[in-house]
Structure formats: structure tokens, C-alpha cells
């Protein structure tokens, strides 16, 4: 039992500035997509432009707000024209939505294992997975770490593939000075409360192609092409959806965007505190970094180190990870596995006959990773308390596996 306050795995950065903006749509009486969605879209595009280093010539991106990151991905896949018979490359360790949006289009997600060092897609394996049916790729900048965007784009250009970046975790992240989400044909962001800035639920698709942006805008709202005259409801030339964001949510998006630099700086600081504090804990590998990238720090995800690469060593590390999550919860600290391996979830495993050994690194990452708390209000003392409990749990369990899972910390 702990008397210290509970530290959740994530807590959004909400304050009086958000409340003030939220009053606006309520007072105006306009709740659906309207002026605040326009403002949020323009602000988001401007944020990306301003994030690019001066040596990067970034065309003004078009930003299209939508109901969720998943909706943005679905709109992207639809606008890029994926259909039955197409294969689309996705990483085997990511949130399931990355693969689901390919299924929505009737196309086939082709899973590719990750590089366990970075948690991102292994580009050599991706290259080997390309077939004449491959239409595109949905790379993921997992946890905010960019997925080697120069390698990604070179591979895509060589094989004439479209790239839809799953930048759901990529807000504030850039690769060699260029913001993620702006490399491929389109990029998708999420504003789920576990992401750096939030609208409750919400997403944004960005593209530098004006025609594609207007297709996405039509698809977002039932496929309607607006008419000219006041009595003309417009035509519906394509099958669309209702994936609009509300002005209520956009109000929050606008206030969150205004303090984006403050939010990102705090998250960077917490990550740096973790790096320092975890140096003394050999059993836990700190979150990966890349000197060529600016990390977005959507999550701080560590890996419980295995004492070898054989099944027994991985099983032991996985048991230690599970015990770590339970021990931390008992100590008032919320954590989660980094994410899951969609290829191994029963929908995909059954449909495509996938076995865990087909994607060993994704399987290991799903079982041995842990997202430590990272959110608003976290102090250096909180980080120290988390790391102290991490050390105590990993001292209790051992790499040789002789321990009682579930025993409470004394
Ligand atoms: C959060 C997330 C999504 C989905 O975003 P939602 O806004 O929750 O729909 C997709 N892909 C990745 C990698 C994510 O982390």
C-alpha cells in the first residue's frame, strides 16, 4: 500500500486555457464542424511548416481534421485508392488500427517484423516483402520515434509505392529536420488522450497535394461535392463517410496547439529524467533514440532485457515484464505494454494463418515492452519514484526466472 498519489500512464495537459476555448462553441451554439475546425486545421498546417528546419522546402501542407486517427488512416487509404487485390505493407508491432484501415478497403495488410532496437519496421524485411501486388506502405513512427524516413522514401520511390505515414504518435517528431507526416503522399495524426495533444477523440490527415486534400474532404463528409446554388445540396460522386470532427473537439485542439511547445518540452524533459534514472537499471533497456531524429515522445517505452534470444530467455523476460506491470500498479503507478502485435491478434492470425514465430521481434516487443508514465504535471520526483519501484520489482524477479510471479513488493 502506498500513500503517494497514483501516477497514471498518461494524463492530458488540460488547464484553464482549454476551458476558455471550450466555452466558445457552446456560447456560439455551433457544435458540428465549423469555424473552430477551420482554425484547428490552419493552425496544425502552420505548426508543421514552422517545425521544419530552414533547409527543408516543405510545401504548405493541407490539413484535414477528422473524427479519429483511425478515421484519418481510413480516409487516406480510400483516397489513395487501395482496393481488393492490393497488398499494403504495415509493421507487425503497432496499434491494430494501422492494419484495420487496409482491411476496410478490402486490401491485404502484409505484416513486416520490426527492428527490436527501435520498435519500428525493419526496412530490409519490408523490401523483401514487396511483390507485384504491393500498392503502398503504412509505416509507423512508433511512440514518436521517426522510422528512418530517407530509407522509407527511397524504398517507396524505387518500387513506385505510395506511402501513408501513420504519424498517430508523431506530433512534434521530425527526421533530419522534416516533420513526420510530410514525407509520404499523406500522413495521419491522432489526438486520443494518450497522444501529446488531445481533442478527446480526433485525428488529422495532412498532404501536400491539393487535389488529394479535396478528395479527403469529400470522403470525410459522405462523399458530397458541394453544389453552387443555395437550393443545390450537391452531388455524391463517391462513397464517403461521416468522419467529421466537431467544433467542440476542435476548440480543445486549438488551445492544445497553442501550448504545443510547452507540452513537447515537458515530455522531452520527462524522457531525459527517465534516461538518467534508468542508467542504473541494467535489466531494463531505456526508450530508443536516434541522433538523426527529433523524438515526439508520445510514450516512453522500455524493454525488459532477455538473458539470450532463446524461447526460455524471452519467456522469462516476458514474465518479468508482467510482474513489473503488476508490482507498479500495486505501488500506485500505471503502466501498459508498449503496444500489441496485430498480426498475432486472433482476427489476423486466423484470417492469414499467422504464427507468433513469423514475427519474432514483434512478438518479443509485445511481451517484454513497458510504457512508463509520461504526462502533464510529472515531476523529477515522480520519475525517481517510478524508477525506484522499477528497480525493486526487477530485483525481486531475476533473469534466470526463479521467482514467484505476483508476489507483492515488501
Ligand atoms: C493511437 C494510434 C492510432 C489510432 O488513433 P485513434 O485516434 O485512437 O483512432 C493508430 N496508429 C497508432 C500507431 C496509434 O498509436
Amino acid at each position: 500500500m502506498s500513500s503517494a498519489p497514483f501516477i497514471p500512464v498518461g494524463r492530458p495537459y488540460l488547464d484553464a486555457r482549454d476551458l476558455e476555448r471550450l466555452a466558445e462553441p457552446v456560447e456560439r451554439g455551433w457544435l458540428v464542424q465549423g469555424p473552430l475546425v477551420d482554425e484547428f486545421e490552419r493552425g496544425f498546417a502552420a505548426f508543421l511548416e514552422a517545425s521544419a528546419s530552414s533547409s527543408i522546402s516543405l510545401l504548405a501542407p493541407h490539413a484535414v481534421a477528422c473524427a479519429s486517427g483511425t478515421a484519418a488512416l481510413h480516409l487516406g487509404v480510400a483516397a489513395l485508392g487501395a482496393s481488393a487485390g492490393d497488398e499494403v505493407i504495415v509493421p507487425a508491432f503497432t496499434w491494430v488500427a494501422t492494419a484495420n484501415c487496409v482491411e476496410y478497403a478490402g486490401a491485404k495488410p502484409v505484416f513486416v517484423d520490426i527492428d527490436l532496437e527501435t520498435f519500428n519496421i525493419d526496412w530490409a524485411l519490408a523490401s523483401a516483402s514487396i511483390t507485384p501486388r504491393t500498392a503502398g506502405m503504412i509505416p509507423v513512427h512508433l511512440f514518436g520515434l521517426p522510422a528512418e524516413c530517407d530509407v522509407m522514401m527511397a524504398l517507396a520511390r524505387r518500387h513506385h509505392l505510395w506511402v501513408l505515414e501513420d504519424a498517430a504518435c508523431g506530433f512534434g517528431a521530425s527526421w533530419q529536420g522534416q516533420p513526420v507526416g510530410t514525407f509520404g503522399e499523406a500522413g495521419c495524426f491522432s489526438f486520443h488522450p494518450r497522444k501529446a495533444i488531445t481533442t478527446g477523440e480526433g485525428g488529422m490527415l495532412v498532404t501536400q497535394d491539393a487535389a488529394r486534400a479535396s478528395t479527403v474532404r469529400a470522403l470525410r463528409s459522405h462523399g458530397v461535392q458541394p453544389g453552387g446554388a443555395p437550393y443545390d445540396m450537391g452531388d455524391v460522386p463517391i462513397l464517403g463517410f461521416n468522419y467529421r470532427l466537431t467544433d467542440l473537439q476542435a476548440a480543445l485542439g486549438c488551445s492544445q496547439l497553442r501550448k504545443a511547445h510547452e507540452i513537447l518540452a515537458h515530455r522531452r524533459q520527462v524522457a531525459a529524467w527517465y534516461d538518467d534514472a534508468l542508467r542504473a537499471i541494467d535489466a531494463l533497456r531505456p526508450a530508443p533514440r536516434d541522433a538523426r531524429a527529433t523524438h515526439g515522445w508520445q510514450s516512453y517505452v522500455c524493454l525488459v532485457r532477455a538473458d539470450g534470444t532463446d524461447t526460455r530467455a524471452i519467456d522469462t523476460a516476458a514474465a518479468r515484464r508482467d510482474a513489473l506491470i503488476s508490482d507498479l500498479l500495486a505501488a500506485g503507478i500505471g503502466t501498459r505494454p508498449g503496444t500489441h502485435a496485430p498480426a498475432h491478434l486472433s482476427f489476423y492470425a486466423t484470417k492469414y494463418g499467422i504464427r507468433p514465430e513469423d514475427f519474432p521481434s514483434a512478438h518479443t516487443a509485445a511481451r517484454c515492452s513497458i510504457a512508463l508514465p509520461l504526462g502533464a504535471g510529472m515531476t523529477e520526483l515522480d520519475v525517481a519514484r517510478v524508477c525506484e519501484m522499477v528497480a525493486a520489482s526487477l530485483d525481486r524477479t531475476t533473469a534466470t526466472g526463479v521467482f514467484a510471479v505476483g508476489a507483492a513488493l515488501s
Side-chain angles (χ1 to χ4, degrees):
M1 275 295 143
S2 169
S3 56
F6 185 75
I7 303 178
V9 68
R11 176 181 278 147
Y13 287 69
L14 301 171
D15 57 33
R17 291 171 286 179
D18 300 294
L19 267 181
E20 200 180 310
R21 268 340 279 274
L22 273 167
E24 202 179 306
V26 175
E27 281 162 3
R28 185 185 285 130
W30 187 278
L31 304 181
V32 296
Q33 180 181 300
L36 287 164
V37 168
D38 285 346
E39 181 182 333
F40 185 37
E41 290 178 341
R42 277 184 275 107
F44 197 86
F47 176 86
L48 287 184
E49 276 187 276
S51 304
S53 74
S54 53
S55 58
I56 306 283
S57 58
L58 190 64
L59 295 172
H62 303 271
V64 184
C66 44
S68 66
T70 304
L73 287 166
H74 188 185
L75 291 172
V77 168
L80 288 162
S83 58
D86 286 342
E87 293 179 356
V88 177
I89 287 177
V90 299
F93 183 57
T94 177
W95 186 243
V96 69
T98 315
N100 286 354
C101 67
V102 179
E103 291 283 335
Y104 299 158
K108 179 185 178 187
V110 172
F111 294 101
V112 169
D113 210 358
I114 55 157
D115 177 351
L116 201 51
E117 291 299 316
T118 62
F119 294 128
N120 278 328
I121 195 165
D122 181 322
W123 287 118
L125 293 176
S127 178
S129 305
I130 293 170
T131 75
R133 289 181 301 282
T134 310
M137 312 196 283
I138 311 184
V140 179
H141 308 294
L142 201 59
F143 311 133
L145 181 67
E148 289 186 289
C149 300
D150 47 350
V151 179
M152 164 178 99
M153 293 316 294
L155 186 65
R157 296 298 171 249
R158 188 163 353 112
H159 295 276
H160 309 287
L161 308 177
W162 49 255
V163 172
L164 177 64
E165 295 176 72
D166 181 341
C169 309
F171 183 76
S174 57
W175 177 260
Q176 292 174 331
Q178 182 172 340
V180 301
T182 66
F183 285 87
E185 272 60 34
C188 299
F189 294 83
S190 165
F191 308 120
H192 180 276
R194 277 288 307 277
K195 313 298 157 91
I197 65 167
T198 188
T199 59
E201 297 275 5
M204 190 76 78
L205 181 144
V206 302
T207 177
Q208 292 175 69
D209 183 312
R212 186 171 301 121
S214 80
T215 302
V216 172
R217 286 181 194 285
L219 286 170
R220 170 178 66 176
S221 196
H222 310 286
V224 173
Q225 215 96 71
Y231 49 78
D232 182 355
M233 290 187 70
D235 186 26
V236 175
I238 48 174
L239 180 67
F241 315 93
N242 179 355
Y243 277 167
R244 295 183 304 258
L245 191 75
T246 66
D247 256 25
L248 276 169
Q249 293 163 305
L252 202 50
C254 291
S255 58
Q256 292 270 295
L257 208 46
R258 275 196 89 95
K259 50 186 174 175
H261 292 288
E262 196 180 317
I263 291 171
L264 292 169
H266 181 257
R267 298 179 81 87
R268 259 196 310 277
Q269 176 64 76
V270 174
W273 286 330
Y274 274 127
D275 281 354
D276 279 346
L278 292 173
R279 213 162 282 145
I281 306 176
D282 287 338
L284 197 70
R285 192 193 76 189
R289 290 172 175 268
D290 189 317
R292 298 164 292 179
T294 299
H295 204 306
W297 295 116
Q298 180 267 328
S299 279
Y300 191 93
V301 178
C302 305
L303 193 72
V304 174
R305 292 189 206 270
D307 192 28
T309 52
D310 56 296
T311 308
R312 201 191 124 72
I314 305 287
D315 286 351
T316 305
R320 296 185 87 189
R321 194 285 307 266
D322 292 351
L324 181 55
I325 290 179
S326 302
D327 285 349
L328 289 170
L329 189 60
I333 296 164
T335 62
R336 295 271 188 290
T339 186
H340 51 198
H344 299 145
L345 302 174
S346 59
F347 175 79
Y348 288 104
T350 308
K351 181 163 184 179
Y352 297 111
I354 296 166
R355 297 155 309 153
E357 57 270 32
D358 293 340
F359 305 105
S361 294
H363 192 48
T364 299
R367 297 170 70 213
C368 302
S369 63
I370 179 169
L372 299 179
L374 173 52
M378 272 193 82
T379 64
E380 193 168 9
L381 270 176
D382 292 330
V383 169
R385 184 179 138 210
V386 171
C387 293
E388 197 180 307
M389 288 300 158
V390 166
S393 174
L394 290 170
D395 281 347
R396 183 176 74 73
T397 64
T398 74
T400 47
V402 189
F403 65 87
V405 177
L409 283 176
S410 54

